[in-house]
């Protein structure tokens, strides 16, 4: 078979339906794929400018690199993410299959359940909750500017570790995100198309403000961060930044087929995603460093929480606009990277009981019950969280890419993949559990997490996604070669 996108026939779809597969799991015919280059260009634009990303950049500034090197490291990281997203998305754009079926082609129908659960339930739902909480902090400031008395509701009373105003803001923002998730891809496409121009205007304006109040770009680029580490190799710091950025994209990157299955062509998703990430991160790299350092210079303190900088502004209208855009970008990130993949994965795990909308509702409820505000109780929590997500999903991504390109040779047999459960499938390569994939994934996961228990291996945990991806990729191909012999 050539590398041209596969055109599935209506008779094939009908046959797969008869075998018990619901429409959320079926391949998308080319005639029904609506996302072109522009759709993919706008898809990730809003996702870059979210509050956890700005928090992470504040941490990067303490790693000892100069501001210009932080910007360069972010752009190089974006290129790496673009390569990962487009290459891992080719199975989806070629065959129109969602992540759940892409995962099955790698691990087998039984084997796909654990990595699918880790990505679609553990990582996605945890991220969904965390993004909801960070977004609710912006909403809390926004409501406080409009209605100052709101911040004193409850008189300091806390419920499960969060204040009454905080809980109200979280619940409101959580509900909005859930509703966007229920709307699915069609609502999201319209949402991101409106959001992208606002990002250019607002964050561009914030960067201009920061440069002006800092006295020009020179003071920002020459700024020395007090307390920054200078005992880490600059090259290794680059890898740490790259690893953190990849960890941010570990979940949507692993399940990117959920989005590329809607691509009009593989070329469209490749060009669109690459341009989106490079342009988006180019703007983000400059604006994040400029705003954080410019604000710190202007206010005479080292302030690495962008919400606190915006909250110090004297212009209430500017605060409201900035906070609204932060809220919108967080909603965009949450929908594309978390709630939509979580819903699809729940569909795959329980195809007879859960459809897409039920998956959204279930994932949303769980994300509330885990009390995500506990993940942000101290400044190091976000980095621990990112490294853990990287350790869990880096091995899955490495195994998936190794399998699709070097074992399947970019060819998936859809008739075998959508197996007839009423027949003997014992000789079907997609049946059961792929032992090589499982061993490679688990060993790589143990390697990545070893630094949390063995101090000498901490360097591995600091680059958990990269270490997990590389080790799983190599181990899987070695095991396949060994078992073949």
């Amino acid at each position: 078979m050539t590398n041209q996108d596969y055109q599935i026939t209506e008779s094939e779809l009908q046959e797969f339906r008869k075998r018990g597969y619901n429409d959320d799991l079926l391949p998308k015919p080319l005639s029904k794929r609506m996302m072109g280059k522009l759709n993919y260009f706008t898809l990730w634009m809003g996702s870059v400018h979210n509050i956890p990303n700005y928090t992470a950049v504040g941490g990067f500034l303490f790693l000892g690199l100069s501001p210009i090197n932080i910007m360069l490291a972010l752009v190089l990281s974006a290129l790496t993410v673009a390569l990962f997203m487009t290459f891992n998305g080719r199975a989806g754009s070629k065959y129109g299959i969602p992540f759940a079926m892409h995962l099955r082609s790698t691990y087998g129908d039984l084997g796909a359940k654990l990595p699918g659960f880790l990505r679609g339930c553990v990582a996605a739902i945890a991220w969904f909750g965390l993004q909801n909480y960070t977004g609710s902090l912006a909403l809390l400031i926004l409501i406080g500017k409009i209605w100052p008395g709101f911040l004193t509701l409850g008189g300091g009373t806390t419920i499960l570790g969060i204040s009454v105003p905080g809980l109200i803001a979280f619940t409101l923002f959580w509900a909005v995100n859930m509703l966007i998730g229920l709307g699915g891809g069609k609502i999201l496409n319209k949402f991101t198309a409106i959001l992208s121009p606002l990002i250019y205007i607002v964050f561009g304006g914030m960067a201009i403000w920061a440069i002006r109040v800092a006295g020009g770009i020179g003071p920002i680029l020459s700024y020395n961060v007090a307390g920054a580490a200078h005992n880490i190799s600059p090259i290794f710091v680059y890898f740490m930044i790259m690893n953190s950025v990849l960890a941010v994209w570990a979940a949507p990157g692993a399940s990117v087929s959920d989005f590329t299955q809607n691509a009009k062509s593989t070329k469209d998703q490749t060009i669109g995603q690459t341009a989106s990430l490079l342009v988006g991160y180019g703007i983000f790299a400059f604006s994040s460093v400029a705003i954080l350092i410019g604000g710190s210079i202007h206010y005479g303190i080292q302030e690495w929480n962008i919400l606190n900088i915006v909250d110090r502004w004297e212009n209430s209208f500017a605060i409201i606009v900035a906070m609204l855009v932060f809220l919108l970008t967080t909603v965009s990130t949450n929908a594309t990277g978390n709630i939509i993949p979580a819903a699809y994965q729940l569909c795959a795990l329980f195809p007879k009981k859960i459809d897409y909308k039920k998956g959204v509702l279930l994932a949303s409820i769980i994300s509330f019950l885990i009390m995500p505000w506990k993940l942000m109780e101290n400044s190091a929590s976000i980095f621990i969280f990112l490294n853990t997500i990287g350790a869990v999903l880096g091995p899955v991504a490495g195994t998936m890419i190794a399998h699709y390109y070097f074992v399947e040779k970019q060819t998936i047999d859809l008739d075998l993949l959508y197996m007839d459960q009423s027949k003997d499938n014992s000789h079907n390569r997609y049946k059961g559990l792929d032992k090589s994939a499982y061993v490679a994934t688990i060993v790589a996961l143990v390697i990545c997490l070893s630094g949390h228990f063995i101090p000498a291996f901490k360097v591995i945990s600091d680059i958990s996604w990269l270490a997990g991806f590389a080790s799983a990729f190599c181990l899987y191909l070695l095991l396949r070669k060994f078992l073949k012999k």
Side-chain angles (χ1 to χ4, degrees):
M1 185 180 291
T2 67
N3 279 330
Q4 292 181 339
D5 295 333
Y6 183 78
Q7 175 63 281
I8 188 141
T9 64
E10 186 59 36
S11 61
E12 287 177 297
L13 291 174
Q14 290 297 339
E15 174 60 25
F16 297 158
R17 288 190 183 98
K18 290 178 182 177
R19 296 177 185 180
Y21 295 92
N22 62 46
D23 286 350
D24 291 325
L25 297 177
L26 291 179
K28 287 283 183 68
L30 285 172
S31 60
K32 294 185 178 179
R33 302 191 203 174
M34 306 306 293
M35 293 185 69
K37 297 184 188 72
L38 183 60
N39 297 111
Y40 283 103
F41 179 73
T42 59
L43 179 63
W44 304 123
M45 274 291 186
S47 301
V48 175
H49 294 271
N50 59 70
I51 299 165
N53 271 3
Y54 275 87
T55 303
V57 171
F60 296 159
L61 290 167
F62 282 90
L63 295 176
L65 287 183
S66 65
I68 192 68
N69 272 292
I70 296 292
M71 296 180 194
L72 180 59
L74 287 169
V75 173
L76 290 175
S77 300
L79 178 60
T80 307
V81 172
L83 290 172
F84 169 47
M85 299 283 277
T86 56
F87 274 88
N88 203 37
R90 284 192 179 183
S93 58
K94 180 178 179 179
Y95 291 99
I97 58 174
F99 166 64
M101 302 310 292
H102 184 192
L103 199 62
R104 176 183 285 192
S105 72
T106 303
Y107 288 90
D109 63 331
L110 177 62
K113 295 186 181 298
L114 178 59
F117 176 75
L118 291 174
R119 187 278 172 258
C121 299
V122 177
I125 292 174
W127 257 122
F128 184 65
L130 180 66
Q131 290 278 14
N132 279 335
Y133 175 64
T134 56
S136 73
L137 296 178
L139 180 60
L140 192 62
I141 293 174
L142 180 61
I143 296 174
K145 293 297 178 183
I146 300 171
W147 176 22
F150 175 77
L151 300 178
T152 61
L153 290 179
T157 301
T158 60
I159 301 173
L160 300 174
I162 187 171
S163 67
V164 172
L167 183 59
I168 294 172
F170 176 79
T171 304
L172 289 172
F173 193 64
W174 169 86
V176 169
N177 279 264
M178 181 178 65
L179 291 173
I180 292 291
L182 288 171
K186 292 182 180 179
I187 296 295
L188 184 61
N189 285 340
K190 295 178 181 179
F191 186 81
T192 53
I194 296 171
L195 178 61
S196 293
L198 287 176
I199 291 172
Y200 284 105
I201 295 170
V202 172
F203 288 101
M206 290 174 69
I208 292 171
W209 166 83
I211 293 170
R212 182 177 61 81
V213 297
I217 191 66
I220 291 175
L221 296 181
S222 61
Y223 188 79
N224 290 315
V225 178
H230 295 288
N231 58 342
I232 307 175
S233 166
I235 294 176
F236 187 70
V237 172
Y238 263 78
F239 279 111
M240 290 176 67
I241 292 173
M242 188 178 296
N243 181 79
S244 293
V245 174
L246 281 163
V248 167
W249 294 93
S255 60
V256 70
S257 291
D258 281 339
F259 298 97
T260 58
Q261 67 166 334
N262 295 303
K264 293 179 180 178
S265 70
T266 294
K267 182 179 179 181
D268 280 353
Q269 69 94 351
T270 301
I271 294 174
Q273 287 200 95
T274 301
S276 178
L277 288 161
L278 288 179
V279 173
Y281 262 98
I283 296 170
F284 171 75
F286 179 79
S287 64
S288 61
V289 172
I291 294 167
L292 290 171
I293 293 180
S296 295
I297 292 173
H298 178 60
Y299 293 114
I301 58 170
Q302 287 195 167
E303 179 56 77
W304 308 122
N305 185 333
I306 194 166
L307 296 181
N308 291 340
I309 290 176
V310 174
D311 193 32
R312 288 174 176 269
W313 292 353
E314 296 178 358
N315 189 318
S316 296
F317 177 75
I319 293 174
I320 291 171
V321 171
M323 290 302 177
L324 280 173
V325 172
F326 269 122
L327 292 172
L328 292 174
T329 56
T330 303
V331 169
S332 175
T333 304
N334 243 353
T336 54
N338 301 318
I339 195 62
I340 289 177
Y344 277 126
Q345 192 54 43
L346 286 168
C347 290
L349 290 172
F350 310 100
K352 295 181 179 180
K353 296 183 179 180
I354 297 178
D355 59 15
Y356 173 77
K357 290 190 175 181
K358 288 180 181 177
V360 170
L361 291 171
L362 181 59
S364 299
I365 292 169
I366 296 173
S367 75
F368 198 111
L369 295 177
I370 64 173
M371 297 184 290
W373 47 88
K374 295 289 185 181
L375 295 173
M376 296 286 286
E377 286 185 327
N378 59 71
S379 59
S381 295
I382 186 67
F383 294 102
I384 295 172
F385 179 76
L386 286 175
N387 278 334
T388 302
I389 294 296
V392 169
L393 295 180
V396 174
T399 304
M400 290 176 70
I401 286 184
H403 178 83
Y404 182 67
Y405 287 95
F406 294 94
V407 176
E408 293 279 62
K409 309 292 186 184
Q410 300 188 61
T411 300
I412 296 175
D413 189 325
L414 293 184
D415 186 55
L416 293 180
L417 184 64
Y418 289 87
M419 61 186 71
D420 189 341
Q421 302 294 343
S422 65
K423 296 181 179 179
D424 178 17
N425 291 292
S426 57
H427 298 294
N428 188 334
R429 67 179 186 269
Y430 303 126
K431 180 68 176 175
L433 182 151
D434 187 304
K435 294 179 181 177
S436 298
Y438 248 65
V439 171
T441 302
I442 292 172
V443 171
L445 174 61
V446 171
I447 290 172
C448 290
L449 295 176
S450 61
H452 294 296
F453 310 103
I454 306 173
F457 293 163
K458 183 179 181 300
V459 65
I460 296 175
S461 295
D462 286 340
I463 52 170
S464 58
W465 191 96
L466 291 168
F469 181 95
S471 55
F473 183 95
C474 297
L475 278 170
Y476 176 64
L477 294 180
L478 287 172
L479 286 169
R480 293 284 304 197
K481 186 175 182 180
F482 175 77
L483 291 177
K484 188 176 181 181
K485 287 183 178 180

